[in-house]
Amino acid sequence: MADTTVPAKDASWSSGLSLTAIILTYDEELHIERCIRSLKPVASRIYVVDSFSTDATVEIARREGAEVVQRKFKNQADQFQWALDNLPTDTDWVMRIDADEYISAELATSMTTRIPRAPASVSGFYVDRLVVFLGRPIRHGGFYPMRVLKIWRTGLGRVEQRWIDEYCVVKQGLVDYCPGDLIDENLRDLTWWTDKHNKYSSRRVIDLLDYELQLGLSQHALSGNVSRRQVVYHRIKARIYPALPPYFRALAYYLYRYVFRLGFLDGQQGLVFCFLQALWNLFLVDAKLYEARRMIAAKGLESFIEHLRDAQGLDVGPPRLESEPRRSA
């Protein structure tokens, strides 16, 4: 763990709520200052958990008053749960926020008014996540409002241990809502975006194979206080989607987002976002899933796991076989 010494906070830093914000980073010099500055009106403490960035992320974060620790990265769920379990959090509330996200003025206002008045029965708060893609807010296609649990009482939140699409949940109590947008606006270009989602597709393959073969690599059962949206999404992902024909399901998902959920109303940016996020990405997942099954059939599971580690840098660890394989999707 790196030195966590932090410089004195500058005069612009409000005392904020009794809230610790936690940000995971790797080479986020383009975004980290914007993220931290948006948090200053609401957070009394900010941690950056960095995966040994090669750019100026750490220097910028410390300059802005954040406390920085460093740890080797496995996946988002593992890294954030480690932060919850190990960082010396002394505030009443914790917030999860990504480096390329920032808090809108409306959300900051609602947080400072609603969170301090929350009754003891409330354990967390949902916020609305708004994606900005190629400079345009994506408000259709079922992508907005995307209500996510981002704030909870210290000690009551945890992260589902999955390789992709993990949820934060609270162990008990009610979950309230803070109006205002948490804006997800990555400033990098499409080459970076497609490279990131290419890597995400490999992580999704791990989750699908894990569910199919019962390898014990991910958490598949929901637990804790979860929203209705999480329950529905989990049912679709765990039961309905795997039963659909490969490749066709990617096309069906794209048509659902772009046509039936009116993604076309977001103009050219909506077309590109829905095509890449839904059709291209999930088609790539199915192609990689086919490739993985062929490799496992020809060389065995251990060889495939070694391939993930050596060729893609994904160290899934040894499988923990629990039962006979499920029927292939």
Side-chain angles (χ1 to χ4, degrees), residues 131-148:
V131 174
V132 177
F133 183 75
L134 295 178
R136 178 167 184 158
I138 302 298
R139 297 187 180 275
H140 302 90
F143 294 106
Y144 181 83
M146 188 167 288
R147 198 156 289 181
V148 290

Side-chain angles (χ1 to χ4, degrees), residues 32 40 44 80 87-88 104 106 126 130 134-135 142 145 162 191 193 222-223 226 235 255 267 273 282 304 309 322 328:
I32 191 62
K40 288 183 178 182
S44 50
F80 199 82
L87 295 179
S104 67
E106 182 187 358
Y126 294 117
L130 174 64
L134 295 178
R162 304 175 60 88
T191 298
W193 194 95
L222 286 176
S223 61
V226 296
R235 184 177 295 120
L255 292 175
F273 185 75
L282 293 183
F304 174 69
R309 183 185 65 244
E322 298 175 1
S328 297

Side-chain angles (χ1 to χ4, degrees), residues 4-7 13 36 46-48 61-68:
T4 59
T5 302
V6 61
W13 193 311
I36 292 174
I46 299 175
Y47 278 113
V48 167
R62 285 185 171 142
R63 184 190 70 205
E64 291 298 319
E67 301 173 75
V68 179

Side-chain angles (χ1 to χ4, degrees), residues 244-252 279 282-284 286-288 290:
L244 295 174
Y247 310 114
F248 166 81
R249 55 194 178 189
L251 176 60
L279 182 57
L282 293 183
F283 193 95
L284 184 60
D286 280 339
K288 288 188 177 183
Y290 173 73

Side-chain angles (χ1 to χ4, degrees), residues 14-29:
S14 166
S15 59
L17 305 167
S18 179
L19 181 143
T20 295
I22 301 175
I23 313 166
L24 306 186
T25 61
Y26 177 73
D27 287 355
E28 290 288 355
E29 65 179 8

Side-chain angles (χ1 to χ4, degrees), residues 88-125:
T89 304
D90 57 3
T91 56
D92 297 334
W93 298 86
V94 172
M95 180 176 189
R96 177 182 182 177
I97 183 169
D98 293 341
D100 58 359
E101 296 174 335
Y102 58 97
I103 294 174
S104 67
E106 182 187 358
L107 179 56
T109 299
S110 71
M111 287 174 63
T112 55
T113 56
R114 289 180 176 239
I115 294 177
R117 299 175 185 172
S121 58
V122 172
S123 298
F125 285 88

Side-chain angles (χ1 to χ4, degrees), residues 254-278:
Y254 165 71
L255 292 175
Y256 168 75
R257 291 293 190 188
Y258 190 66
V259 178
F260 294 101
R261 295 303 302 271
L262 308 181
F264 61 86
L265 292 179
D266 286 318
Q268 184 170 329
Q269 293 94 329
L271 171 63
V272 175
F273 185 75
C274 287
F275 184 89
L276 292 178
Q277 195 272 347

Side-chain angles (χ1 to χ4, degrees), residues 165-185:
D165 293 340
E166 73 282 352
Y167 277 108
C168 293
V169 297
V170 290
K171 299 176 184 177
Q172 62 191 47
L174 303 175
V175 180
D176 205 339
Y177 167 65
C178 280
D181 293 331
L182 178 68
I183 301 169
D184 179 344
E185 183 179 11

